[in-house]
Amino acid sequence: MSSKVDAIYIHIPFCNYICAYCDFCKVFYNKEYVNKYLEALRKEIKDNYKGEVITSLYIGGGTPSSLSIDELKKLFEILGVFNLSQNSEITMEANPDSLSLDKIKLLKENGVNRVSLGVETISDKLQSILERNTRKEQVVTCINNLKRTGINNINADLIYAIEKETLEDLENDLSFLISLDVPHISTYSLIIENNTKLKLKGIKNIDQSLDRCMYDFISKTLKDNGYIHYEISNFAKPNFSSKHNLKYWYNLEYYGFGVGASGYISNIRYTNTRSITDYIKGKTVIDKETLTEKDKIFYEIMLGFRTNRGIDKREFKDKYNVNIDSLFDYKKLVNNKVLIDENGYLKVNENYFYVLDEVLTNFLDSNVK
Ligand code: SF4
């Protein structure tokens, strides 16, 4: 079966420091490993990429900005093999403390037109829990440098619902992010994952009702400031939604290259090893799930409901050869205003984003076949 892939995710696992909450696939920056890693990445791409036209390239991590100028040059030389369309979105993740002006210029020269910055929080109290040390001034300088260089499509990440966090702390973080005048803000309610320092330190989740209150406060504040709540955790000014992430949520195909990366190509969802030593030895994919039609429909609904667009009913029919209305009897959910069925799209009412899992369960229970 031919693939319709036009998006690529690249994982760069190196970081200059390890944050206490982090469950991503990452290691401490190590010069010797970077070189070997980039060669393994080159090989994985060469063995798998079929020359498709690519409209979005996302370099995530880890902290891609932890690489030196020479290492970044090598990375871009490796990525030069991709057949990028003229208006492609090219995003790189970065931490403000490692994204120097020289690196920003290099990104610009190599076509990067979107940067996603890990800001997370500017509260000293909360940074000490997360074991991060991002200075407010560094963030401001970094964003000014990006804008001066002509990279205006900037995302800032915010983490909230951290133990000891008050609504006032959250208000401060939000005011700071809004003052940066960035067109995209991603928000994450802190999850205390197993095998993280937070878990070992015995840090607890905040009360569920406070978490809900914070979620609603974020949504209201950002919407009042011109951001569109276009995905349950993501906000953007008009025309600044993440094209790359929308491909995930619209259940489209993408390559994932690098340690810990995952991809979705021609009915197969695959995951690469999280072991950097195995990856360097050329052992890449460790898990493959071949999707049935039913699985694909499940992903389509689960992911599509995360967005304010929802599910495109006509596209659904084209993809699966069946009307969504004949698979699910969801009238009750529409009558109760949990779902909105209008103009050919079926979407979750934003007031129910917070309880999306519950909505999804109720929707799937309405299966009539
Ligand atoms: S949160 Fe980001 S910077 Fe911190 S350890 Fe994880 S990948 Fe690295």
Side-chain angles (χ1 to χ4, degrees):
M1 184 178 289
S2 69
S3 83
K4 294 177 235 64
V5 62
D6 69 350
I8 295 178
Y9 174 81
I10 302 285
H11 194 78
I12 302 296
F14 303 99
C15 290
N16 300 113
Y17 44 84
I18 303 296
C19 311
Y21 57 93
C22 185
D23 184 41
F24 300 128
C25 183
K26 82 287 171 189
V27 289
F28 265 119
Y29 173 86
N30 170 316
K31 198 156 197 57
E32 194 191 327
Y33 262 85
V34 172
N35 215 13
K36 290 183 180 157
Y37 181 79
L38 291 178
E39 286 310 322
L41 182 66
R42 185 196 299 280
K43 183 167 185 317
E44 190 196 359
I45 292 170
K46 183 167 173 280
D47 291 348
N48 295 280
Y49 172 60
K50 308 268 184 323
E52 297 91 341
V53 174
I54 299 302
T55 62
S56 86
L57 173 64
Y58 192 104
I59 307 163
T63 312
S65 59
S66 68
L67 301 193
S68 69
I69 292 268
D70 284 344
E71 289 158 352
L72 284 170
K73 281 184 183 163
K74 180 164 173 170
L75 172 65
F76 287 121
E77 178 254 310
I78 292 167
L79 305 185
V81 71
F82 297 135
N83 186 6
L84 291 169
S85 74
Q86 239 186 359
N87 295 321
S88 47
E89 179 184 88
I90 307 178
T91 306
M92 195 177 98
E93 289 181 352
N95 272 325
D97 44 274
S98 55
L99 190 59
S100 63
L101 181 57
D102 285 348
K103 288 184 190 173
I104 292 175
K105 286 180 179 161
L106 184 71
L107 302 192
K108 176 78 179 161
E109 279 163 25
N110 285 280
V112 172
N113 49 27
R114 184 170 185 272
V115 165
S116 178
L117 279 184
V119 178
E120 321 306 358
T121 173
I122 48 154
S123 147
D124 289 342
K125 173 183 76 179
L126 302 178
Q127 288 208 35
S128 97
I129 294 173
L130 300 182
E131 298 189 20
R132 284 184 67 92
N133 188 21
T134 304
R135 311 275 29 105
K136 218 170 154 176
E137 305 71 39
Q138 268 174 342
V139 178
V140 173
T141 306
C142 185
I143 287 186
N144 286 341
N145 285 341
L146 283 165
K147 289 181 181 173
R148 264 201 295 150
T149 313
I151 302 179
N152 295 298
N153 193 351
I154 303 165
N155 167 60
D157 283 345
L158 165 81
I159 295 181
Y160 67 99
I162 304 165
E163 194 183 77
K164 299 197 176 83
E165 182 170 8
T166 61
L167 272 175
E168 202 185 346
D169 294 324
L170 178 61
E171 197 173 356
N172 280 339
D173 279 346
L174 277 175
S175 305
F176 176 65
L177 290 183
I178 291 163
S179 75
L180 296 170
D181 193 23
V182 288
H184 193 286
I185 295 177
S186 296
T187 67
Y188 302 94
S189 169
L190 181 66
I191 297 173
I192 298 166
E193 305 278 5
N194 288 330
N195 303 317
T196 59
K197 271 171 116 185
L198 281 189
K199 183 84 176 182
L200 296 173
K201 288 200 292 187
I203 300 289
K204 298 273 179 296
N205 285 118
I206 63 164
D207 184 77
Q208 179 82 37
S209 60
L210 180 58
D211 186 88
R212 172 74 205 236
C213 191
M214 288 183 167
Y215 183 85
D216 291 342
F217 180 70
I218 291 170
S219 175
K220 177 167 186 341
T221 308
L222 292 181
K223 284 193 296 183
D224 286 350
N225 282 277
Y227 291 87
I228 299 162
H229 193 176
Y230 78 99
E231 192 267 349
I232 56 173
S233 308
N234 284 277
F235 299 81
K237 294 272 172 76
N239 303 318
F240 281 96
S241 306
S242 162
K243 288 184 191 151
H244 186 84
N245 288 341
L246 279 172
K247 289 186 196 277
Y248 299 150
W249 299 317
Y250 294 162
N251 200 26
L252 300 171
E253 297 182 14
Y254 59 96
Y255 282 111
F257 294 124
V259 69
S262 52
Y264 174 35
I265 311 270
S266 303
N267 299 340
I268 292 174
R269 285 193 178 267
Y270 65 89
T271 312
N272 280 358
T273 176
R274 283 175 72 100
S275 157
I276 193 158
T277 43
D278 281 353
Y279 184 80
I280 285 172
K281 284 183 204 148
K283 292 180 202 155
T284 53
V285 176
I286 51 156
D287 190 42
K288 274 189 186 178
E289 179 193 8
T290 304
L291 302 183
T292 62
E293 210 64 358
K294 204 173 160 195
D295 296 332
K296 287 197 278 179
I297 288 174
F298 169 74
Y299 277 110
E300 187 85 20
I301 294 165
M302 181 200 42
L303 295 165
F305 274 177
R306 296 179 64 95
T307 66
N308 71 340
R309 185 204 75 167
I311 292 154
D312 180 334
K313 289 166 70 170
R314 191 188 300 169
E315 203 178 279
F316 187 98
K317 169 91 187 346
D318 290 347
K319 270 184 171 174
Y320 305 109
N321 224 8
V322 59
N323 279 315
I324 192 164
D325 302 21
S326 57
L327 284 183
F328 299 93
D329 180 13
Y330 54 80
K331 272 188 254 52
K332 206 167 140 200
L333 289 167
V334 173
N335 290 339
N336 291 339
K337 301 199 169 31
V338 175
L339 295 182
I340 299 169
D341 187 6
E342 65 184 10
N343 306 327
Y345 292 90
L346 183 64
K347 61 187 179 188
V348 174
N349 180 334
E350 190 196 339
N351 296 335
Y352 290 87
F353 269 176
Y354 188 80
V355 287
L356 187 62
D357 285 351
E358 217 176 287
V359 174
L360 188 63
T361 308
N362 289 337
F363 184 85
L364 294 173
D365 282 350
S366 75
N367 190 328
V368 288
K369 276 190 186 167

